[in-house]
Structures are given as C-alpha cells and as structure tokens.
Amino acid sequence: MSLVAGSYERFIWGFTLKSQSLTLIPLFSYPSHLSLIKSVAISGSVVASGGADDTIHLYNLSASSSLGSLHHHSATVTSLSFYTPPELLFPRNLVSADADGSVCIYDADGFVHLKTLPSVHRKAVNDLAIHPSGKLALSVGRDECLAMVNLVRGRRSFCCRLDKEASLVKYDSAGDKFFLAMEEKVSVHEAEDARLLLEFECQKRVLCAAYAKNGLLYTGGEDRNITAWDINSGKVAYSIEEAHATRIKGIVVLTDNDGSAGGEDPYLVTSASSDGVIRVWDVRMAATEKPNPLSECKTQSRLTCLAGSTLKFRKPEAGKSKAKEQDQTTED
C-alpha cells in the first residue's frame, strides 16, 4: 500500500504502508515543482503531481524515480485523476484540469497528449472525477457549474448551474452515484440523471472526501474531524473527533490489492493535515471509543493533498514489456 502527498513547500512525499506492522515508511521526499503542489494522483506505481507552476510531474514510485513532466497547461494544475481498468496494473489514461477551466486528456502509455478541451469551465476547475467505465468525467469549478466530459469523443457533453460553488466531486466505486461538496454541505446524486438523493450537513467546510465500498463516505476539513456518513440513511455512522490539530486536507481509504479488504469492510483510513502530519487509523475502534492512530509521520511541511494506491507492485525487470508486467504476481 502506497501514499503520496503534496505540500505548499513544493515537496512531494512518497510512503509505503507495511501490511504487517502498519508502519508508514518514507520512500522519498523531493522538491519537484517550482511552486506549491495543488494535486496528486496515483495508480499502482505511477504517480502524478500538479502544481502552481502549470506543470505535471510524473514518477515511478517503485523505483523512486522521475518519469518526466508534462507542459500542456497554461495555468495552475488544480486536479489530476488516473483511469485504470480493473484488469490492468497500470493506468490507461490521465486526465488533468487547470485554473483556466481547461481539461487535458493523456494516454498513460508513454503519456502522450491526446487533446486539450478549453473552457470546460469559465473559471478554475476545482475538482474532477473519472467514471469507473473510463468513458466520462465530471468536473466542478469556480463558475458554480457541474460539467460532464465525454472522454471517448474528447468534448464537453453537459453543463449545468449549481446552487453554489462545489469544491469536490467524487464517484462511488460502481459509478452509480456521485457526491458534491459545497462549503459545509455534501450532496449525493444519481449518476444517470443527477437526481438529488441525500444531503449531509457538516460542522464546517469540507475539504476532502473518500468513498469506501461498504457504503460509507468519509469527509474531513475545517472541523479537524474524520466523519463517516452512511450514504443509504444519510446519518453519521461514526466520527473521529479532532483527528488532527489543524484542518484535514486529504483522506484515503485503504484496502487490499483486489479492493475487497480480505472480504471484510475497509477499516484502514489515512488522513493528512495542513500541520504536516499523516496518520493511519483503524476506524473499527471509532464506533466505541476515540482511537489513537496506528501510525503517523510528521513531514514538517504544510500538506495540501493526499492520494493512495492499494495495488501492490515490484520493480519491473529491464526489457520486460507492459503485457508481461500485467501478468506478473506482484508483491509489497
């Protein structure tokens, strides 16, 4: 299990979580951008970071090495998302968005730039999410709009006005529902027709969210709590109060390599705060008592974003093709 985090100080941090000891082990710390990092994404051993220097940097996490950079944006890269088909160990596409409202689509095999979609939003894109099918993506922006991008045809196919600006958009694992965060409110919608199903009222502004396959949506933000919402009942399942000393900027739900968490509900959740601390939690304890973190790492940086990969990997052998890598049995 691997984690990456970005910071205001231009550093990207890489960690591995040992499955037996549940200890966060630093892999690398690197000043990769010329200014603050706004977004990170990870798929298997491939990592992407986007910053206020208008650049996307790429990394091989297993080798702790750089894969180069992409320079197709002319504004701050605000959001990144990989699409990885279930049968593959490596991503097929990378989709990025920027502060000018544009979206770029890349083929992850060689990171070839396929197309730039200008003016998907009239102002900055706050967040984007790729549907599990890989055929479309949703984005939200500072223009208070929700847009749908057809990734197959490479064009915006839908756009509608929201009641207010949304900062986050996420799909559930099946792609049947999506979630929007607008200040202290989180809404649940049908993916097919955007019909509103539920609304959650949080204590303070929501800054990050992550969906778990057991039907829970984890949120964090200005209230410094990690809250688990039941998306069927709309009620709080449990909450880790004061999980950090300052606001929470990233949440990742960790499962095993096939996403099943050993046939049980996912119980490991990782959080990152602007105080520079990354913590791993066993949320099974949250229903009965305030849990202590299983592990933590102090980066001494102001963290801005967090991403995690549940896929296990090992370094590819020289000269081995992707097709052969796909058939490998992988390990920590």
Side-chain angles (χ1 to χ4, degrees), residues 204-279:
K204 293 184 179 181
R205 184 183 178 191
V206 176
L207 301 176
C208 54
Y211 176 76
K213 287 189 175 182
N214 57 359
L216 296 180
L217 179 71
Y218 292 89
T219 61
E222 299 284 359
D223 62 2
R224 301 176 295 164
N225 302 332
I226 298 174
T227 305
W229 301 88
D230 187 327
I231 65 169
N232 295 312
S233 67
K235 298 180 179 180
V236 175
Y238 50 82
S239 179
I240 301 175
E241 303 290 331
E242 298 183 353
H244 287 270
T246 59
R247 59 184 179 176
I248 298 174
K249 297 301 294 289
I251 292 178
V252 172
V253 178
L254 297 174
T255 57
D256 62 11
N257 63 317
D258 63 1
S260 64
E264 300 176 355
D265 288 342
Y267 66 90
L268 293 180
V269 171
T270 305
S271 58
S273 172
S274 56
D275 63 3
V277 178
I278 299 174
R279 287 175 172 163

Side-chain angles (χ1 to χ4, degrees), residues 12-13 34 51 54 131 141 154-155 164 168 175 247 286 298 325 328:
I12 185 169
W13 300 79
L34 298 177
D54 310 348
H131 189 271
R155 63 180 179 85
K164 60 175 65 176
L168 295 173
R247 59 184 179 176
K298 298 179 179 179
E325 288 179 39
Q328 285 181 331

Side-chain angles (χ1 to χ4, degrees), residues 1-14:
M1 298 178 183
S2 305
L3 294 167
V4 290
S7 71
Y8 280 103
E9 290 80 10
R10 307 179 293 118
F11 276 78
I12 185 169
W13 300 79

Side-chain angles (χ1 to χ4, degrees), residues 76-128:
T76 298
V77 179
T78 56
S79 186
L80 294 164
S81 186
F82 281 112
Y83 168 61
T84 305
E87 69 274 11
L88 298 183
L89 296 177
F90 49 88
R92 177 173 292 170
N93 294 104
L94 171 66
V95 182
S96 58
D98 67 26
D100 276 347
S102 299
V103 171
C104 289
I105 305 172
Y106 299 89
D107 185 336
D109 187 359
F111 288 97
V112 177
H113 176 245
L114 299 177
K115 192 167 186 178
T116 295
L117 284 64
S119 303
V120 173
H121 290 268
R122 294 190 301 275
K123 296 182 180 180
V125 178
N126 290 331
D127 195 22
L128 65 83

Side-chain angles (χ1 to χ4, degrees), residues 17-233:
L17 181 65
K18 293 297 183 182
S19 56
Q20 293 183 345
S21 62
L22 296 178
T23 302
L24 279 174
I25 306 298
L27 295 176
F28 62 85
S29 174
Y30 179 66
S32 57
H33 288 262
L34 298 177
S35 53
L36 68 93
I37 297 175
K38 292 285 290 185
S39 178
V40 289
I42 181 171
S43 177
S45 62
V46 182
V47 176
S49 63
D53 56 2
D54 310 348
T55 304
I56 299 171
H57 284 275
L58 304 166
Y59 319 86
N60 182 330
L61 189 61
S62 60
S64 298
S65 62
S66 172
L67 295 175
S69 57
L70 303 172
H71 302 270
H72 300 93
H73 288 281
S74 57
T76 298
V77 179
T78 56
S79 186
L80 294 164
S81 186
F82 281 112
Y83 168 61
T84 305
E87 69 274 11
L88 298 183
L89 296 177
F90 49 88
R92 177 173 292 170
N93 294 104
L94 171 66
V95 182
S96 58
D98 67 26
D100 276 347
S102 299
V103 171
C104 289
I105 305 172
Y106 299 89
D107 185 336
D109 187 359
F111 288 97
V112 177
H113 176 245
L114 299 177
K115 192 167 186 178
T116 295
L117 284 64
S119 303
V120 173
H121 290 268
R122 294 190 301 275
K123 296 182 180 180
V125 178
N126 290 331
D127 195 22
L128 65 83
I130 300 178
H131 189 271
S133 67
K135 296 180 179 180
L136 57 90
L138 292 177
S139 62
V140 292
R142 296 191 65 183
D143 57 0
E144 301 182 357
C145 289
L146 168 70
M148 178 182 291
V149 175
N150 186 320
L151 298 177
V152 177
R153 297 186 177 182
R155 63 180 179 85
R156 190 182 75 175
S157 58
F158 173 79
C159 186
C160 70
R161 188 85 174 182
L162 300 172
D163 293 336
K164 60 175 65 176
E165 178 184 342
S167 58
L168 295 173
V169 59
K170 305 291 179 186
Y171 275 109
D172 67 359
S173 55
D176 298 328
K177 299 180 179 67
F178 68 87
F179 314 96
L180 296 176
M182 292 177 280
E183 296 292 340
E184 300 87 7
K185 184 182 297 184
V186 177
S187 55
V188 184
H189 301 259
E190 284 281 4
E192 185 176 0
D193 56 8
R195 178 168 57 92
L196 178 64
L197 299 176
L198 290 170
E199 286 186 334
F200 309 143
E201 290 287 347
C202 304
Q203 296 180 15
K204 293 184 179 181
R205 184 183 178 191
V206 176
L207 301 176
C208 54
Y211 176 76
K213 287 189 175 182
N214 57 359
L216 296 180
L217 179 71
Y218 292 89
T219 61
E222 299 284 359
D223 62 2
R224 301 176 295 164
N225 302 332
I226 298 174
T227 305
W229 301 88
D230 187 327
I231 65 169
N232 295 312
S233 67

